[in-house]
Amino acid sequence: MKPSYLSYLTSLLALLWLGHSTLAWAETNGADDFSYIQLIETEDSDCALKDGSMMSLSNSQQGVSVEVWVDRWFMDVQTADHTKHTFNHHNELIPLGCTNTVSGKQHWTIHSVKKLPN
């Protein structure tokens, strides 16, 4: 029995997605430990009115410049928002948005982290 074209295409797309995820994971989890880059929730009065909190990107290590790519998810569906944020040695917190909007819940995931020359 020959595999169908749709089956072949599905397998190919899965391999491409795994390769993309693996590259992002390798860049994030390579030789450098980037555990000092985190997504954190903080209190915000505007977000509290929507029954949510502010989600921010945090750099807890001073003196390190990094480039962080973040993906946004709205109602558990990944959006086209793929944003780059740069932490210079003096940046500690970058607000991303409220975890709850008038239209629904949203969250963010870190796609990749790359150390920049100081």
Side-chain angles (χ1 to χ4, degrees), residues 58-73:
S58 169
N59 176 10
S60 62
Q61 186 165 331
Q62 291 295 320
V64 176
S65 297
V66 292
E67 175 183 280
V68 183
W69 283 90
V70 177
D71 294 322
R72 185 172 72 92
W73 299 73

Side-chain angles (χ1 to χ4, degrees), residues 39-42 44 46-47 50 52-57 72 85 94-101 106-108:
L39 291 165
I40 62 168
E41 288 186 35
T42 57
D44 180 84
D46 289 337
C47 294
K50 298 175 194 122
S53 55
M54 176 62 73
M55 184 62 72
S56 298
L57 197 56
R72 185 172 72 92
H85 304 277
I94 298 174
L96 299 173
C98 295
T99 57
N100 203 14
T101 68
Q106 62 182 354
H107 70 275
W108 290 261

Side-chain angles (χ1 to χ4, degrees), residues 3 7 10 15 19 21 24-26 32 34 37 41 46 56 59 63 67 77 88 99-101 104 113 116:
S7 169
T10 303
L15 285 172
S21 297
W25 183 88
D32 291 319
F34 293 110
I37 302 295
E41 288 186 35
D46 289 337
S56 298
N59 176 10
E67 175 183 280
V77 176
N88 295 319
T99 57
N100 203 14
T101 68
V113 179
L116 299 173

Side-chain angles (χ1 to χ4, degrees), residues 72-79 101-107:
R72 185 172 72 92
W73 299 73
F74 179 71
M75 295 176 56
D76 293 327
V77 176
Q78 188 173 8
T79 67
T101 68
V102 175
S103 303
K105 294 187 181 290
Q106 62 182 354
H107 70 275

